Amino acid sequence: MKIFRKVKKTQKALPFLGSYIKGKFQKVNKKRLQQKHKSPADFEDLIFYWDEHPCLDLNSLCFSGKKAQRKWSQTPFPERVKKLKKLKPIIKKNIKNWGELISRETGKALWESEGEVKALLLKLDFTLEEALKRIKTQSLPPYGQIRFKSRGLCLVIGPFNFPMHLPFGQILPALLAGNAVIFKASEKAPASAQALTGAFDQIGLESGLYQLVQGGGKISKKLCNQNLIDAIFFTGSFETGDKIKQSLVKDYNKLLALEMGGYNSSLVWDDADLNLAVQECLKACFWTSGQRCSSCSQIILHKKIASEFIKLFLEKAKQLKVNHWSQNPWMGSLIDKKSLQRFFKFQKQIKKAGGQFLLEGKQLYKEKGYYVSPGIYKMAFDKNSLIGTQETFTPQVIIYETRQLKEAVELINHSGFGLSLSVFSKDKKVKEEMFQCSKVGLVYYNLASVGASSYLPFGGVGKSGNDRPAGAFAIDSCVIPMAEKGF
Ligand code: SIN
């Protein structure tokens, strides 16, 4: 492993501006700014002092959202598009700044974070041109027409791993469709949310149309239960998503769109291009230190090619550079101590279950940040095992071997999650069987399970989601398709 290199110039602490309510960042009483928000990649890097438990009048916040939404929903589409397009030059100007900020806050490599900011530009173009087509009125003479009505006030609860791109992918279509938005940012990434909110502030939206709530889980819970909220878009862990779902069982007024991660597989069949499969699996398992909902947690190998794949995969994995985000590493740090603990808890489970350690993941630069090296294990499939049923969200992968596609399918569907699957094979029949039999929302052929496209739907089934995909289809959940007929 390369030696951790400290950032040359110490990054400056930023001002924490508080939540953004009714068109203004709140003034925060300095006495309340007690909590240190530090970079997981460098404990000496203080991002800001902030307030994780703000006292906010949520009812008034929702009320102002509703008020602004009534006017905005009457605004014709070309005007909405014109207004939202103003975000483009602001994003372009901030690729470097925001990239650095995302890396400081999440610990992920700078090349990834800059890629995330660039993805906002693509998302903007796609949403304002292509996604818009999905909600244009459709005339069906002589029957009538389909017209799409905005839902009202949308709550977007964002994750930490793509703190700008993932919430933006829901905030933007929600606004375009004529809704007001309350963005509850991840408490692990409040600074990125603050920067993004600065952009919405600059384009001059009606006061209350876009609001940001900064704070932890308690405030999310209260927001979810606000009567005035019409739709909730949640991206995060299964455990939290499940709690939200349970709390809304009797709430028939709210749409709930869940994106809750995955326990994703890569299948490498006997005819696969092994060099390609190895390269793509390395990305899938270890980019973002395994902290993508589409990250690969298990590789299923055809017995015929297993030893060759393992040899190549280990060779490459041992060379992966883990380091501070500024040093162009393959992997930066994990997000926090809990994540580190989850990493080692999983290792213990593997050991206890008799798994073989092909490459033991180790803690690195302990005094500096939350760093680990990749973990690669090998096991036999046990249908009754709990291993493989919980997302680890860390850079670890289990390798299984089989000769039968039927067993591969069982393994793929074992976790109860159902987000993403990679199939490495040239055989059309193998690909079709995986498409039909796997319970997932995304199937990629000869490609990593990460790297979702803005042009395609993104979301899963089972414990991964509730059939309300984001990505290209996010706008569908932002509207009510209405039937209109008669005269
Ligand atoms: C994610 O949503 O966590 C990652 C998207 C991707 O790279 O597939």
Side-chain angles (χ1 to χ4, degrees), residues 161-162 166 292-294 450-452 458:
N161 59 344
F162 285 85
L166 291 180
R292 295 195 188 197
C293 35
S294 50
V450 294
F458 182 83

Side-chain angles (χ1 to χ4, degrees), residues 138-156:
Q138 291 166 31
S139 186
L140 295 172
Y143 310 108
Q145 66 175 10
I146 307 166
R147 210 169 122 202
F148 297 88
K149 190 159 95 176
S150 27
R151 288 198 170 264
L153 180 57
C154 298
L155 170 64
V156 174

